[in-house]
Amino acid sequence: MKQESYQVIYERACERKGGELALESLLEKPLSSTQLESIGNDRYLAELTRKVFQSGFVWRVVDQKWPDFEDVFWGFDIEKLLMMPDDMLERKATDPKIIRHLKKVWSIRDNALMIRDVSDEHGSFGRFIAQWPEDNIVGLWAYLKKHGSRLGGNTGPYALRATGKDTFLLTRDIEGYFRAMGIIEGSATSQKSLRAIQTFFNELHESSGRSYSELSRLLAFGVGDNRVQAVAAIR
């Protein structure tokens, strides 16, 4: 196994994205703990739901229909959703204004229950998310998968990233990088692989001072089919 330094990873991303200024413009910082705590439970549920419906589907279509999702599910009001009887939930799953997928609609109420249970214990779901340490972000992924509904794979991590939680992602390009470097073998989501990947990002975070989200993007920018066109680099 070999591990590249932050500087090597950064310089490769710069070269592929047209220079340092261009690269830095593509990097977004995560929210602070205070900002994450201030997000309401309804907004966390909304983002979890959006990512559940985007999984295996065209993201753009989900985004276009999102105002109707907000309307049909009462702005993702946790208490209202938890009071909804099964027959009403099933009727909502047939509403043509949203994407009709019964199992994914069921996940809305299941995840509302998870959020309420977490809030009862920690004060709010936002506080729970904010206080979870980024040096064990894979543990938070596992929590969402175990206690939530349809939040396994990349769905939970993408939802966390969308809410502003500092997390890396396991995209196809990033997974390919870890395989090529001999950091993981077999399944990328095995406990052994996830520990190795978390350790890699922890060490990179320590040496660079960059957030996990930024490091994840830098790594992705340096591999795969995302090189900037030469004419764009000249400009």
Side-chain angles (χ1 to χ4, degrees):
M1 182 185 75
K2 52 186 177 179
Q3 182 160 329
E4 296 180 310
S5 69
Y6 165 75
Q7 196 61 34
V8 168
I9 292 170
Y10 184 81
E11 289 177 359
R12 183 169 59 241
C14 280
E15 188 273 328
R16 290 171 64 91
K17 288 300 180 183
E20 186 172 352
L21 289 177
L23 175 63
E24 291 292 339
S25 71
L26 298 172
L27 302 177
E28 296 180 7
K29 295 185 180 297
L31 298 184
S32 67
S33 294
T34 300
Q35 290 172 315
L36 289 169
E37 280 197 44
S38 70
I39 298 173
N41 285 351
D42 60 319
R43 293 303 89 202
Y44 278 106
L45 179 59
E47 201 53 62
L48 292 178
T49 302
R50 189 195 295 256
K51 290 298 176 279
V52 165
F53 275 87
Q54 286 178 332
S55 178
F57 201 74
V58 180
W59 286 33
R60 172 176 46 81
V61 174
V62 178
D63 289 339
Q64 289 171 346
K65 286 181 171 285
W66 198 249
D68 289 326
F69 272 87
E70 293 278 355
D71 180 55
V72 169
F73 296 106
W74 305 305
F76 295 95
D77 184 293
I78 302 291
E79 296 307 319
K80 284 185 177 180
L81 289 167
L82 290 178
M83 293 175 61
M84 181 169 46
D86 291 351
D87 60 339
M88 181 181 292
L89 187 65
E90 291 176 358
R91 288 198 302 273
K92 286 182 178 293
T94 66
D95 193 322
K97 293 193 299 184
I98 68 167
I99 295 166
R100 289 170 286 186
H101 191 300
L102 180 58
K103 291 183 178 180
K104 289 186 176 183
V105 169
W106 275 108
S107 76
I108 298 173
R109 195 173 62 180
D110 292 339
N111 287 328
L113 180 60
M114 174 191 66
I115 288 174
R116 189 187 66 178
D117 288 346
V118 169
S119 295
D120 288 345
E121 182 177 353
H122 296 274
S124 73
F125 194 72
R127 179 174 298 173
F128 170 75
I129 294 297
Q131 293 180 347
W132 193 285
E134 286 79 14
D135 62 3
N136 182 32
I137 200 67
V138 297
L140 183 53
W141 297 0
Y143 184 95
L144 293 178
K145 179 181 179 179
K146 179 179 179 180
H147 297 280
S149 176
R150 305 183 74 90
L151 297 178
N154 276 328
T155 304
Y158 270 110
L160 290 172
R161 171 71 69 81
T163 63
K165 177 66 174 176
D166 191 12
T167 181
F168 55 84
L169 298 175
L170 285 183
T171 64
R172 185 183 306 172
D173 285 341
I174 291 177
E175 181 180 338
Y177 173 86
F178 285 126
R179 293 190 187 285
M181 299 298 291
I183 295 171
I184 63 171
E185 296 178 352
S187 172
T189 56
S190 70
Q191 290 302 306
K192 180 180 179 182
S193 291
L194 289 175
R195 284 195 299 270
I197 293 168
Q198 180 76 70
T199 297
F200 173 91
F201 276 109
N202 288 349
E203 293 176 356
L204 210 58
H205 171 73
E206 183 70 22
S207 65
S208 69
R210 290 276 193 178
S211 69
Y212 291 81
S213 298
E214 291 174 303
L215 292 171
S216 181
R217 287 189 172 96
L218 285 172
L219 202 61
F221 290 153
V223 297
D225 187 22
N226 59 29
R227 184 185 295 270
V228 70
Q229 296 296 321
V231 65
I234 293 173
R235 290 174 183 170

